[in-house]
Amino acid sequence: MRRFLIACALPALLACGRRQGRLPEPPPEMQVEAPALDTWPLMREAARIAADSGRFDEADRMLAAYIAGRPGTEEVNEAALARALLLVDPRNPAASTAAAADALGTLLRRAPDAMQADATVALRRALLRVDSLERVVRLARDSALVRDSAQKTEAARLNDELAKVREELDRVKRRLSGRPPA
């Protein structure tokens, strides 16, 4: 943001300070390259708009392309964090706490001294905890379904057995009462 303000303000200041003719060129040791416009705020906003519109795959693609084009910069770390957060958004159909935790782990391995490393570590731990709890819930649900299925099968078998025993009991009753079997 600071670079952007400098890049915008510098030409305006130069235009105001001009007198007739051109300003003298500074000596070569004092010449610096004009700062490039920072694209991260624009990319972040575009990805946010895409995600808010439900286009999570598009937001992910934009962030991935940004990361690939600028390796080793602080903005890439922010983009990687934003990408991991997309994977946790409950509105995202491809949301996965395990994948988000993996993405944060990759970010921490790549940039362990990043500005938001403490928050990233805490978020990763929370995601790993949520993922393990989700696994327990899935396992419990699956075992409950298996148990219900086994109970239904057992109940059907017992009902069939009970029906056969009732038929046998009816035959015995009819024989004892002297009636002919039906």
Side-chain angles (χ1 to χ4, degrees):
M1 184 70 171
R2 200 176 333 176
R3 288 185 208 159
F4 178 73
L5 292 175
I6 292 171
C8 290
L10 190 59
L13 289 174
L14 290 175
C16 291
R18 284 191 184 177
R19 294 190 172 87
Q20 300 209 341
R22 299 192 76 176
L23 289 175
E25 290 291 320
E29 64 273 359
M30 294 187 70
Q31 289 182 356
V32 292
E33 242 181 290
L37 290 178
D38 189 12
T39 59
W40 170 236
L42 300 174
M43 179 59 65
R44 180 179 48 215
E45 185 63 17
R48 186 194 62 76
I49 290 169
D52 286 348
S53 302
R55 299 184 324 265
F56 291 96
D57 53 342
E58 182 182 330
D60 185 60
R61 265 194 315 279
M62 287 190 296
L63 291 170
Y66 185 84
I67 291 168
R70 291 161 187 83
T73 63
E74 184 61 32
E75 290 83 12
V76 165
N77 296 336
E78 289 183 44
L81 179 60
R83 197 168 179 213
L85 292 175
L86 284 176
L87 291 170
V88 191
D89 193 321
R91 298 172 300 142
N92 186 351
S96 165
T97 53
D102 288 345
L104 291 174
T106 301
L107 171 62
L108 288 168
R109 281 189 298 281
R110 189 176 49 218
D113 300 326
M115 188 169 70
Q116 300 170 349
D118 292 339
T120 304
V121 168
L123 179 59
R124 183 173 185 273
R125 287 179 185 152
L127 288 173
L128 290 172
R129 183 73 171 262
V130 168
D131 184 56
S132 67
L133 292 173
E134 285 176 345
R135 282 190 217 148
V136 168
V137 167
R138 277 193 303 272
L139 182 63
R141 188 181 315 126
D142 292 348
S143 65
L145 290 174
V146 168
R147 188 174 52 246
D148 288 348
S149 175
Q151 287 176 344
K152 286 179 183 177
T153 304
E154 180 66 12
R157 185 187 68 74
L158 290 174
N159 280 334
D160 289 345
E161 193 175 311
L162 179 61
K164 289 178 185 175
V165 169
R166 281 186 178 159
E167 286 176 15
E168 183 64 29
L169 181 61
D170 285 343
R171 268 185 269 157
V172 169
K173 281 183 186 177
R174 278 188 291 256
R175 200 174 333 161
L176 290 175
S177 70
R179 284 191 245 148

